[in-house]
């Protein structure tokens, strides 16, 4: 049996940090409100001219270095992003060229905040079917570019960043992607969307969200996805060593942990320092937890996310 083994991770955050206090000087909000309702204290914002591909390339280089692989090894690149450099070509094409990868396929995948889970599952399928041997799976976003900086209900939530992992197809591996679960329910399209796009308005649009409705959906569907990924692998939830959730809101992380009776100490949270970096948040959090020594080789890690679409999903990985 072939498994997609996760050989290494890397991440990148733009250097500029935007604090809640600075935001409170722009819109009618306060550090206290943001911390109490979301757990977010600060977020990173890409510099003028710094593109999603720039963030992705930095994260990918680190992931390749940690994995001990080079551009010659990579034959698949999937970039999960909602904020591509351009409408086309794919940001992944630019990333591929910059990394010096001259073989295989590269494409973008759009599932908003669930994008990394969808990309991981897509790459896993390609590796297991023998379509590729070594994949870079990247989540990269410059969400700051599509914020309405006058809408206090959304602009306090998001940040920019990128995270990447290297997956390699290995025979008879005990490590690797064990199960994934993906779901979309387009009936909830209008809970979280941009009010523009190439076909509809010939513009990019800004983020619009019915925050409290998304919140209610999030706890229910994220919990369900986690249980489903475990059931597919016939692994009990309490066998999971680390939970690496999409970093939307600390209250969502706490709500899911309470609902599933998970020890909060096993939940990796970076939301305070990163905000919601959409498709980048799961690989960013994973990289943080690997680097600080929490997530180790052999650990069972459950990643999960929910985002616009609505989309949601989970992935169980033996590190
Ligand atoms: N500062 C101060 N007041 C605010 C702010 C702000 N930044 N934003 C909203 N408010 C006000 C509202 O105007 C409202 O005032 P009103 O009662 O006078 O009308 C009041 O706070 C309550 O608004 P709610 O939207 O009901 O507040 P809620 O407790 O639901 O918190 C929040 C809002 C933080 C957006 C929450 O709903 C949330 O986190 N939802 C999840 C959405 C999310 O994370 N989306 C990200 C993408 S999807 C995902 O990643 C899972």
């Amino acid at each position: 049996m072939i498994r997609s083994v996760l050989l290494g991770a890397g991440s990148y955050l733009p250097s500029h940090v935007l604090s809640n206090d600075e935001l409170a000087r722009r819109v009618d909000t306060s550090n206290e409100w943001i911390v109490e309702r979301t757990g977010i204290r600060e977020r990173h914002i890409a510099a003028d001219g710094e593109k999603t591909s720039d963030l992705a390339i930095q994260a990918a280089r680190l992931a390749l270095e940690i994995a001990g692989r080079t551009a010659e090894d990579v034959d698949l690149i999937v970039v999960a992003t909602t904020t591509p450099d351009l409408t086309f070509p794919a940001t992944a094409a630019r990333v591929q060229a910059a990394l010096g990868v001259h073989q295989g396929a590269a494409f973008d995948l759009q599932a908003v905040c669930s994008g990394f889970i969808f990309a991981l599952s897509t790459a896993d399928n390609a590796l297991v079917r023998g379509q590729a041997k070594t994949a870079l799976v990247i989540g990269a976003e410059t969400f700051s570019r599509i914020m309405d900086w006058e809408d206090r209900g959304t602009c306090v939530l998001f940040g920019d960043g990128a995270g990447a992992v290297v997956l390699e197809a290995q025979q008879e591996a005990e490590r690797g992607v064990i199960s994934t679960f993906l779901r979309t329910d387009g009936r909830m399209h209008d809970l979280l969307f941009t009010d523009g796009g190439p076909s509809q308005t010939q513009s990019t649009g800004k983020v619009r969200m019915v925050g409290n409705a998304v919140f209610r959906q999030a706890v229910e569907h994220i919990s369900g996805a986690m249980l489903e990924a475990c059931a597919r692998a016939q692994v009990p939830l309490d066998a999971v060593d680390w939970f690496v959730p999409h970093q939307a809101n600390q209250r969502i992380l706490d709500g899911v942990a309470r609902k599933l009776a998970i020890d909060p100490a096993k939940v990796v949270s970076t939301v305070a320092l990163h905000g919601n970096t959409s498709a980048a948040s799961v690989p960013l959090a994973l990289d943080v937890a690997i680097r600080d020594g929490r997530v180790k080789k052999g650990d069972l890690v459950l990643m999960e996310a929910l985002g616009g679409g609505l989309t949601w999903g989970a992935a169980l990985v033996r590190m």
Side-chain angles (χ1 to χ4, degrees):
M1 193 180 87
I2 297 174
R3 275 235 173 100
S4 309
V5 177
L6 199 158
L7 295 181
S11 62
Y12 176 78
L13 290 160
S15 56
H16 178 64
V17 174
L18 178 63
S19 69
N20 289 348
D21 284 333
E22 272 175 89
L23 267 173
R25 287 195 283 275
R26 295 188 194 181
V27 287
D28 183 14
T29 189
S30 64
N31 177 52
E32 292 69 34
W33 192 95
I34 302 170
V35 171
E36 190 202 312
R37 300 289 180 112
T38 71
I40 299 167
R41 295 181 181 277
E42 57 190 39
R43 70 288 290 142
H44 292 249
I45 303 291
D48 287 347
E50 199 173 26
K51 302 179 296 299
T52 293
S53 62
D54 297 321
L55 277 50
I57 291 161
Q58 300 268 13
R61 285 202 174 116
L62 284 169
L64 281 172
E65 192 184 316
I66 298 281
R69 295 295 181 270
T70 66
E72 281 93 72
D73 299 311
V74 176
D75 54 2
L76 177 65
I77 300 175
V78 188
V79 176
T81 188
T82 305
T83 46
D85 291 9
L86 301 170
T87 303
F88 82 88
T91 300
R94 225 177 222 172
V95 172
Q96 188 202 46
L99 293 175
V101 174
H102 302 313
Q103 62 281 321
F107 59 91
D108 288 1
L109 187 149
Q110 220 288 51
V112 205
C113 299
S114 311
F116 181 77
I117 303 291
F118 278 56
L120 190 78
S121 181
T122 302
D124 174 46
N125 286 335
L127 296 191
V128 168
R129 281 185 61 82
Q131 292 172 336
K133 169 92 169 101
T134 307
L136 258 172
V137 183
I138 306 168
E141 302 279 17
T142 48
F143 243 68
S144 61
R145 310 294 197 232
I146 56 167
M147 297 317 307
D148 174 352
W149 288 100
E150 292 179 358
D151 175 12
R152 67 178 182 172
T154 54
C155 76
V156 303
L157 301 175
F158 293 90
D160 301 335
V165 301
V166 177
L167 294 181
E168 184 173 83
Q170 292 185 2
Q171 290 280 354
E172 308 304 332
E174 290 190 3
R175 299 165 57 208
V177 178
I178 296 172
S179 71
T180 61
F181 169 75
L182 308 180
R183 181 80 168 84
T184 301
D185 189 339
R187 289 171 297 182
M188 290 181 278
H189 180 279
D190 294 343
L191 294 185
L192 179 54
F193 60 100
T194 56
D195 58 8
S199 181
Q200 193 164 311
T201 59
Q202 299 79 58
S203 63
T204 314
K206 303 285 184 208
V207 174
R208 304 292 169 212
M209 180 177 71
V210 188
N212 44 20
V214 173
F215 192 99
R216 281 194 297 277
Q217 296 294 332
V219 175
E220 182 190 336
H221 293 310
I222 287 169
S223 307
M226 291 163 70
L227 293 175
E228 186 61 37
C230 283
R232 288 181 177 189
Q234 296 179 306
V235 167
L237 195 67
D238 60 14
V240 173
D241 296 297
W242 293 103
F243 297 87
V244 182
H246 168 51
Q247 309 286 320
N249 181 318
Q250 188 60 44
R251 281 161 59 216
I252 296 178
L253 270 57
D254 295 343
V256 170
R258 245 191 330 271
K259 190 172 164 82
L260 298 181
I262 292 168
D263 176 359
K266 290 167 113 185
V267 181
V268 176
S269 175
T270 54
V271 70
L273 301 181
H274 298 176
N276 181 347
T277 57
S278 186
S281 92
V282 170
L284 261 164
L286 179 67
D287 189 42
V288 165
I290 292 173
R291 277 168 200 269
D292 69 19
R294 276 179 287 176
V295 171
K296 293 184 244 359
K297 200 170 168 179
D299 283 354
L300 199 53
V301 172
L302 184 58
M303 304 177 230
E304 47 81 353
L306 177 136
L310 292 181
T311 52
W312 61 93
L316 189 64
V317 179
R318 175 76 66 189
M319 299 295 292

